Amino acid sequence: MHISSRDNPKIKQFIKLSSSKKARRESGLFVLEGARLCKDAFDMWRQNRLDITACFATEKALEKYSDYVDQSWFTQNEQFYTVDEAIALKMSDSQYPQGIFVIAKMLDNSLLSDKIKPNGKYLILDDLQDPGNVGTLLRTADAVGIDAVILCSDCCELYNPKVLRSAMGSALRLDIMIGDSFAQTVSVLKSKGIKVYASVIDKDAVSVTAADYSGGCAVVLGNEGNGMAQDDVNLCSGKITIRMRGNLNSLNVATAGSIILWEMCRSDNL
C-alpha cells in the first residue's frame, strides 16, 4: 500500500509516538528511524522476536538499502507501506532522513529474578537523564559483552528515539531490564549472589583496576550531575572509583562507564 497523505492515521501515529513519551507508554509501541536501526528490527522480526506493527519506506530508500529491506515485504505484508518523499520529511527527526521507519511493540523489559545469572556481569543505570549517555552506555555494554543492562525507573526512557539512535541497535540486541526502583534492583541481584559496586568519586573507594569482578557482579552508574544518592550507595556491596592523575576530578558518565565496563569484563575479553 502507498501513502501519499500527511493526514493518514498511520503517519500521524508515527509522529506522535516519536515525540511523546506518554503516547509510547500508553500504547506499548515505539519507533525507529534509519536504515541501520530498521535493519536490526527487520532481523528480529524475521526471527519472531519483534512485532512490527507498521513499516514505511520511500521508493528511493528501497532501492538504496536493498541489502537491508526486501521490496517484496511491501506487497506481502499489509503493515508495510511505501510513502512519498514529502511524507518521509514530515516523519523524520533527522536533517537528512534515510527514508525508512518502523513502529514496533515494546519488548518485555521486566526485571525478574529468573533472568539473572549468578555468574553474570551487569550494568545498572541509576537516575541517568541524558539520552545520549544512556544510548552510548548501551552500545559500550554490548561491545564488552555485558549479560544485561538494568535501568531503574527514574532513568531516561529506554524507548526515547534519541536513546535508540545513540545506542546504534544495541537497545534491541542487548538484554535490557527495567527495575521498579534502585532498592528493588539491588535486592534482586543480591538474592542471586551478585556483588553490586557503586561507582563514586571517593578516596576510600577501591580502584576500578583493583576491584574483584570474579563471579557475578554489577556496577552502578549514577546521575550525570549529582552521582549516586548516598542511600543508594549504602545499599551496594562496595564502592569503586577511577583514580585520576590529571587536573580533573570527574569524567562524563558515559566515558567513566566505558572504562569501568572494560575493567569488569577485561578478563573475559583478553
Side-chain angles (χ1 to χ4, degrees), residues 1-2 7 30 44 48 89 99-100 114 119 126 131 138 147 160-161 171 200 222 232 245-246 257:
M1 178 178 174
H2 183 76
D7 294 323
F30 70 101
M44 292 181 67
N48 294 317
L89 286 172
I100 301 181
D114 60 8
N119 62 343
D126 181 20
L138 293 178
D147 288 286
N160 181 313
V200 295
D232 289 352
R245 297 180 179 178

Side-chain angles (χ1 to χ4, degrees), residues 97-112:
Q98 294 179 326
I100 301 181
F101 312 85
V102 160
I103 300 176
K105 289 185 179 180
M106 293 179 180
L107 301 170
D108 178 9
N109 300 115
S110 55
L111 172 58
L112 300 174

Side-chain angles (χ1 to χ4, degrees), residues 49-102:
R49 296 170 50 222
L50 183 71
D51 187 352
I52 292 178
T53 65
C55 174
F56 312 88
T58 64
E59 295 291 350
K60 182 178 178 180
L62 289 178
E63 293 179 8
K64 184 174 183 179
Y65 303 109
S66 58
D67 290 343
Y68 291 176
V69 56
D70 191 329
Q71 294 193 32
S72 67
W73 297 343
F74 289 79
T75 56
Q76 297 171 0
N77 300 278
E78 62 180 9
Q79 76 271 32
F80 281 65
Y81 307 89
T82 55
V83 296
D84 290 345
E85 294 288 340
I87 302 297
L89 286 172
K90 182 178 177 65
M91 297 170 68
S92 179
D93 191 35
S94 170
Q95 185 177 359
Y96 303 104
Q98 294 179 326
I100 301 181
F101 312 85
V102 160

